[in-house]
Amino acid sequence: MKNLKAEEIRQLYLDFFKEKGHDQEPSAPLVPFEDPSLLWINSGVATLKKYFDGRVIPKNPRIVNAQKSIRTNDIENVGVTARHHTFFEMLGNFSIGEYFKKEAIHWAWEFLTDEKWIGFDPELLSVTVHPEDEEAYDIWLNEVGVPAERIIRLEGNFWDIGEGPSGPNSEIFYDRGESYGNDLSDPELYPGGENDRYLEIWNLVFSQFNHNADHTYTPLPKQNIDTGMGLERMACVVQDVPTNFDTDLFMPIIRKTEEVSGKKYGEDSDSDLAFKVIADHVRTVAFAIGDGALPSNEGRGYVLRRLLRRAVRYAKKLGIEKPFMFELVPVVGDIMKTFYPEVSDKEDFIVRVMKLEEERFHETLNEGLAILSSVSDKQKAAGSNEIPGEDAFRLYDTYGFPIELTEEYAQEAGMTIDHSGFESAMKAQRDRARSARQNVNSMQTQSEVLGKITEPSEFIGYSDTVAEANVLFIIKDGELVDSAQEGEEVQVILDQTPFYAESGGQIADHGILRNDLVQAFVLDVKKAPNGQNLHSIRIDSGELTKTAVEAQVDSAERSHTVKNHTATHLLHQALKDVLGSHVNQAGSYVGPDRLRFDFSHFGQVTAEELRQIEEIVNNKIWDSIAVVSGYHNLQEAKDMGAMALFGEKYGDVVRVVEIGGYSLELCGGVHVGNTAEIGLFKLVSESGIGAGIRRIEALTGKDAYESMKNSEEILEETASLLKSNPKDLVQKAHTILAEGKALQRENESLMAKISNAQSAGILDSVKTVGDIQVLSARVEAKDNNQLRQMMDDLKGKLDNAVIVLGAVDGDKVMLAAGVTKELAGGNYHAGQIVKHVAEQCGGKGGGRPDMAMAGAKEPSKLDGALESVYSLVK
């Protein structure tokens, strides 16, 4: 066996399968492109689903890739075990309906055992198969020559993700030797058991069934191969080190962390855990930010925030009390740059985001500790030594405290944590997230009919909106038919078509197919598996047969759409000009009614920035710039500087749309011939829609004019109501606001005087209970602020006192409790007192030991509740 670097293993794998006739697919971004079923790309097959379920027929059915992936379902195991990671690489070879078990098994064995490649000793390899997969068993035994005692039948060897392709699998295990386990009485000491000796290095999935909606299984029209080999695990075996973290994928990060911390890896198990967690998490966060995800309180951003803050917690175990994770980004980039240059290319941006996030956490760390201290004091005062689960969750959710961190500080204060309450709050959050996630099947079932249609269909819609075309195929309910009748909805493929198929954000064209015998309305157009434009139509009159028709696009709708599409390109570049080069497209909608553009950005877009963006786009429109498109090979287009749609995959030949020297993008959409045709561009909204993702909506042409006209009418109506004119409206607004503030100050002054008068009047109601002054009274107050002001006033006039005030506003009860400084922190706790009173009035509340507020909803019970305060104090 050779001693290989991780990058050498990766390249050997890719080279081996390219020799076997596979095309290499590039590693896709970690943020899924047009796949709402996934939070992250989590495997090599995740980006190839369109091939496996038959939506797209690949140019070459043999595919190989090295795919970066994220899985975060078992974060707590990272660093604890030898092989758990949140970020990892999956090496995979795939067959889309071509070769099957025989080739996959033989090639796996060749790659692992041949000296030209990995060169493992065959005697150290074992395999597992599904108990009913006699074909795989026979190939391993009689063709490859693996002894029967090293072929283990396991019931769990079946790959299934629900509806869609599924099938049995075969795993390959490497025997790491007796030093990793030699207790023959251990029932788990076998390939496939829970042990460290026999390490799974490759999983071969034989995708041969459709898992149907009714949970039955039927054979796939085309059988597929999907294999996965974890690079980190393979590097661990090949480099003969104890854990994945001891490989060259992690050790440079650990060495840099040693420099920062002054501690050494390998000397202490607790420190080693911290080194491993930091090394794993910084890889994940750096790659995810580079691929467009940003820290936030939801979705992907929440995962990144949690990972960063978890790493900060472990950094404290190494004595690191300052932001430092950002310093590791160049190390991550350097390790991975031969295959993944994006971390080094975007290093400045990744460092900036990570440093800002670390600094924020170090700031909130102290806030969180103050909250924890307050909760601890409150619980102790109430006679409890347990931190409530809801408080622990609040620290976790709002201040980014991992539960372990809260537990650590609680232990120092002699407290425990209500873990069941914490888990209950966590479960509620997961349920909310699950219900919010789109219910979309991860894979679809294969369509045999569409996959077999290979006749070409030419799109001529760049230049024509009307054309003569021949109907080549009519598909109804998944079957080929010769005709369709009035009222039916079917799909058709034409030999040529002016109708654009939905892609790249641009919606499909609508229009008419007709001849003397039939008229049909085109409802939608999508790409068929072999690339033809597939028209979904409704027969409005007559009978459709496989004959010639006139295909006519709705030209008015198309005209609006192309204006919006070209404006989207101008907007994309303007965003980069104003906000920075980190801006990347994260989705779009281009239709006749409007354009919508989603983009990555880590802050709110200011009004001034929006003004600049709108001005730039309009200036480019008014400059009357020619819009030119042409075809180039992919590398040539990239060399030209053409922007690619983030996450999209392109063929060898691509269409480039150029707007003067300003915008250059890869795009298959339809555009105006000159920017002047757009006429006018108007931003109508800007908002945040998710973790680090902003959305702009805009109008062009006539729609933009009508929007501005509507705004003008609103302005004129407002000016009329304020007895002004539009040009003086701003000054008028300032005058009205100033007058309003003056009235507000006057009102507050009067309310303060009323409060003082009331306070003086109710001082006669003070009673003495033991040596404590107690005042519990109903007062008049318009809101909680006035009630709080009265409380502060009374606390300033009384010593050694407990005060409770109640006021009624309609059907609502407002309550305030105060304890003067001499008593606060002792046996009298304002939060507990106000809670006692509120509960009697059908409410709840709480707060600090010296001051607390509450609300209730049963005014009729207020007087009795206030009277109970005297006996409570007694």
Side-chain angles (χ1 to χ4, degrees):
M1 180 177 69
K2 305 172 186 176
N3 189 351
L4 301 167
K5 295 179 180 178
E7 63 181 37
E8 293 174 321
I9 297 171
R10 183 198 299 119
Q11 195 57 52
L12 279 174
Y13 186 92
L14 296 172
D15 290 344
F16 175 84
F17 282 101
K18 282 193 280 189
E19 282 194 11
K20 303 298 183 184
H22 293 62
D23 280 356
Q24 181 182 334
E25 283 259 344
S27 184
L30 290 162
V31 177
F33 177 72
E34 295 183 346
D35 188 351
S37 69
L38 293 176
L39 192 64
W40 302 102
I41 291 300
N42 58 11
S43 64
V45 73
T47 63
L48 309 179
K49 290 191 293 186
K50 62 186 178 182
Y51 300 143
F52 276 83
D53 62 24
R55 280 173 288 162
V56 177
I57 305 298
K59 182 180 67 174
N60 183 349
R62 299 184 180 189
I63 297 169
V64 63
N65 69 2
Q67 176 61 50
K68 53 188 173 181
S69 307
I70 288 179
R71 293 182 192 172
T72 57
N73 53 316
D74 49 6
I75 291 175
E76 61 279 355
N77 285 327
V78 172
V80 177
T81 72
R83 289 172 288 279
H84 272 97
H85 303 293
T86 55
F87 173 89
F88 60 95
E89 281 187 75
M90 189 62 73
L91 309 179
N93 62 285
F94 309 88
S95 168
I96 314 300
E98 199 213 31
Y99 67 80
F100 201 46
K101 294 180 187 179
K102 181 182 181 71
E103 293 86 349
I105 290 173
H106 278 279
W107 288 340
W109 192 258
E110 179 184 351
F111 178 73
L112 292 175
T113 60
D114 194 308
E115 287 298 327
K116 178 182 176 182
W117 306 106
I118 299 299
F120 282 152
D121 180 352
E123 298 296 318
L124 299 179
L125 297 177
S126 302
V127 298
T128 61
V129 297
H130 189 268
E132 298 177 18
D133 193 354
E134 294 297 339
E135 181 184 3
Y137 184 90
D138 181 68
I139 294 169
W140 282 119
L141 179 69
N142 297 316
E143 296 185 23
V144 176
V146 178
E149 62 270 18
R150 297 213 308 272
I151 307 175
I152 297 92
R153 297 178 187 264
L154 289 181
E155 191 66 41
N157 277 32
F158 194 89
W159 183 81
D160 196 344
I161 59 170
E163 288 184 47
S166 62
N169 62 289
S170 182
E171 298 166 329
I172 305 174
F173 289 80
Y174 181 83
D175 183 355
R176 306 182 74 196
E178 292 188 1
S179 61
Y180 291 94
N182 62 359
D183 182 1
L184 299 181
S185 65
D186 181 358
E188 291 293 323
L189 191 64
Y190 67 91
E194 292 293 327
N195 64 82
D196 287 327
R197 175 170 175 174
Y198 298 101
L199 191 62
E200 179 203 334
I201 55 174
W202 206 341
N203 185 13
L204 315 179
V205 177
F206 310 126
S207 182
Q208 61 189 94
F209 301 109
N210 251 336
H211 182 160
N212 302 312
D214 61 357
H215 300 301
T216 59
Y217 291 84
T218 51
L220 287 172
K222 291 186 176 180
Q223 298 174 326
N224 306 310
I225 288 293
D226 159 22
T227 84
M229 172 193 288
L231 178 61
E232 292 79 7
R233 185 175 293 208
M234 192 65 171
C236 176
V237 172
V238 171
Q239 295 172 16
D240 193 22
V241 291
T243 76
N244 294 5
F245 295 95
D246 298 289
T247 67
D248 61 342
L249 289 167
F250 293 90
M251 283 309 298
I253 307 172
I254 290 173
R255 295 297 180 222
K256 180 64 177 179
T257 309
E258 286 180 328
E259 289 179 25
V260 177
S261 67
K263 295 197 173 181
K264 287 292 181 183
Y265 176 69
E267 294 182 351
D268 175 78
S269 59
D270 285 342
S271 294
D272 285 355
L273 175 59
F275 280 117
K276 292 172 182 177
V277 169
I278 291 166
D280 172 271
H281 290 5
V282 74
R283 292 202 327 156
T284 308
V285 175
F287 268 93
I289 293 173
D291 280 356
L294 293 169
S296 75
N297 281 334
E298 58 182 303
R300 298 181 189 95
Y302 186 79
V303 172
L304 298 191
R305 181 159 284 172
R306 181 184 175 194
L307 290 174
L308 257 175
R309 295 183 172 189
R310 190 169 188 266
V312 168
R313 176 207 165 211
Y314 278 95
K316 292 173 76 70
K317 290 181 176 291
L318 297 178
I320 303 172
E321 299 287 345
K322 63 174 185 176
F324 87 102
M325 290 270 286
F326 68 91
E327 297 180 28
L328 304 177
V329 174
V331 183
V332 175
D334 191 57
I335 295 169
M336 310 296 279
K337 66 184 178 184
T338 55
F339 195 74
Y340 301 104
E342 52 266 36
V343 173
S344 292
D345 291 347
K346 299 178 181 178
E347 181 182 305
D348 291 345
F349 176 69
I350 297 169
V351 166
R352 179 181 169 192
V353 173
M354 199 178 290
K355 184 179 181 183
L356 180 63
E357 181 66 18
E358 286 189 84
E359 288 171 345
R360 283 176 179 166
F361 181 50
H362 277 274
E363 290 169 6
T364 60
L365 192 59
N366 292 329
E367 289 182 50
L369 290 175
I371 295 287
L372 187 56
S373 177
S374 174
V375 171
S376 177
D377 291 344
K378 173 183 169 184
Q379 291 299 104
K380 286 180 177 178
S384 171
N385 68 343
E386 184 178 67
I387 303 293
E390 60 189 31
D391 289 310
F393 179 75
R394 179 160 60 100
L395 285 164
Y396 173 84
D397 194 46
T398 305
Y399 294 94
F401 271 49
I403 185 65
E404 304 94 336
L405 186 61
T406 303
E407 192 161 35
E408 206 171 271
Y409 286 116
Q411 286 174 353
E412 291 175 4
M415 306 284 285
T416 60
I417 292 177
D418 172 19
H419 281 281
S420 63
F422 176 82
E423 288 301 327
S424 177
M426 280 290 288
K427 181 179 183 300
Q429 185 192 64
R430 290 192 196 104
D431 290 344
R432 288 192 298 271
R434 192 176 297 113
S435 64
R437 192 172 301 160
Q438 296 185 46
N439 184 20
V440 180
N441 287 337
S442 181
M443 280 201 197
Q444 302 171 13
T445 55
Q446 292 179 3
S447 169
E448 187 172 10
V449 169
L450 290 175
K452 287 182 176 178
I453 297 176
T454 58
E455 283 83 345
S457 173
E458 182 185 3
F459 173 65
I460 58 173
Y462 292 128
S463 57
D464 299 300
T465 56
V466 182
E468 290 295 319
N470 294 309
V471 178
L472 299 179
F473 299 95
I474 305 173
I475 303 103
K476 181 183 178 185
D477 299 327
E479 300 293 335
L480 291 174
V481 295
D482 293 324
S483 64
Q485 312 302 316
E486 182 175 328
E488 291 184 333
E489 292 188 6
V490 296
Q491 297 170 305
V492 299
I493 293 176
L494 310 175
D495 64 340
Q496 63 175 14
T497 179
F499 286 90
Y500 184 81
E502 178 184 354
S503 64
Q506 181 177 330
I507 70 166
D509 286 325
H510 300 102
I512 301 293
L513 300 181
R514 63 181 159 216
N515 59 27
D516 292 341
L517 301 175
V518 68
Q519 178 160 309
F521 183 73
V522 177
L523 301 163
D524 193 17
V525 189
K526 293 190 182 300
K527 289 287 187 182
N530 282 300
Q532 307 96 334
N533 284 14
L534 183 67
H535 309 70
S536 295
I537 66 170
R538 180 188 66 235
I539 311 298
D540 290 337
S541 63
E543 179 186 24
L544 178 72
T545 59
K546 289 187 280 186
T547 185
V549 293
E550 180 186 63
Q552 181 176 341
V553 171
D554 184 329
S555 57
E557 185 179 273
R558 165 74 80 84
S559 175
H560 289 300
T561 299
V562 298
K563 289 181 175 71
N564 285 332
H565 201 158
T566 306
T568 302
H569 283 220
L570 293 173
L571 172 63
H572 192 182
Q573 186 58 52
L575 285 164
K576 286 182 175 288
D577 291 347
V578 175
L579 303 180
S581 60
H582 64 274
V583 168
N584 277 309
Q585 182 172 343
S588 68
Y589 166 87
V590 177
D593 54 333
R594 71 192 192 284
L595 68 90
R596 186 186 71 226
F597 191 79
D598 300 338
F599 58 98
S600 56
H601 184 56
F602 52 85
Q604 193 167 6
V605 185
T606 68
E608 174 57 24
E609 287 169 336
L610 289 172
R611 188 196 64 75
Q612 292 178 40
I613 291 163
E614 187 176 83
E615 183 178 347
I616 288 171
V617 175
N618 276 310
N619 282 331
K620 298 302 176 185
I621 291 170
W622 301 330
D623 285 344
S624 300
I625 305 170
V627 180
V628 180
S629 61
Y631 290 91
H632 303 268
N633 69 57
L634 182 58
Q635 190 55 52
E636 182 185 0
K638 289 181 177 179
D639 292 342
M640 291 166 62
M643 280 194 290
L645 187 62
F646 190 68
E648 178 64 287
K649 294 198 175 170
Y650 297 92
D652 294 333
V653 177
V654 293
R655 184 168 178 263
V656 177
V657 175
E658 182 174 7
I659 307 175
Y662 185 65
S663 169
L664 194 68
E665 290 197 35
L666 306 185
C667 179
V670 187
H671 291 269
V672 299
N674 188 291
T675 59
E677 296 174 41
I678 301 170
L680 184 65
F681 175 84
K682 178 61 182 169
L683 290 174
V684 293
S685 70
E686 191 278 335
S687 61
I689 60 166
I693 303 297
R694 310 295 298 179
R695 169 171 290 173
I696 279 181
E697 295 201 4
L699 303 171
T700 62
K702 182 181 178 183
D703 293 326
Y705 167 76
E706 290 178 348
S707 173
M708 295 178 73
K709 186 68 176 173
N710 184 53
S711 297
E712 184 182 347
E713 289 171 358
I714 293 170
L715 192 65
E716 289 174 349
E717 184 179 351
T718 305
S720 176
L721 288 170
L722 297 177
K723 294 182 172 51
S724 179
N725 58 64
K727 67 183 181 65
D728 296 329
L729 200 53
V730 173
Q731 183 57 47
K732 185 74 172 180
H734 282 305
T735 301
I736 292 171
L737 287 171
E739 290 172 352
K741 287 180 180 178
L743 287 171
Q744 183 180 358
R745 286 193 297 269
E746 184 178 344
N747 184 52
E748 289 172 352
S749 176
L750 288 171
M751 294 308 298
K753 290 177 182 178
I754 293 170
S755 296
N756 288 334
Q758 267 199 92
S759 298
I762 65 171
L763 283 173
D764 294 338
S765 302
V766 173
K767 296 181 181 180
T768 302
V769 178
D771 59 352
I772 296 172
Q773 296 187 85
V774 182
L775 174 58
S776 184
R778 179 196 282 251
V779 296
E780 296 296 327
K782 69 180 181 69
D783 56 28
N784 280 319
N785 286 333
Q786 188 179 1
L787 196 64
R788 188 181 292 108
Q789 187 176 13
M790 292 175 65
M791 176 62 69
D792 291 340
D793 186 48
L794 288 165
K795 285 174 68 178
K797 294 175 180 178
L798 294 172
D799 296 319
N800 213 43
V802 172
I803 307 164
V804 179
L805 302 178
V808 174
D809 178 18
D811 59 351
K812 294 189 300 183
V813 176
M814 299 177 289
L815 293 165
V819 176
T820 55
K821 60 184 179 182
E822 303 88 354
L823 299 178
N827 293 327
Y828 303 97
H829 191 288
Q832 298 295 326
I833 294 169
V834 84
K835 180 181 178 185
H836 163 81
V837 177
E839 286 174 347
Q840 296 179 66
C841 302
K844 57 184 179 179
R848 304 191 312 269
D850 62 328
M851 175 66 184
M853 304 290 292
K857 53 189 177 182
E858 297 181 37
S860 63
K861 297 181 179 179
L862 175 60
D863 292 332
L866 290 169
E867 187 62 32
S868 73
V869 172
Y870 297 103
S871 58
L872 175 68
V873 173
K874 185 175 181 180

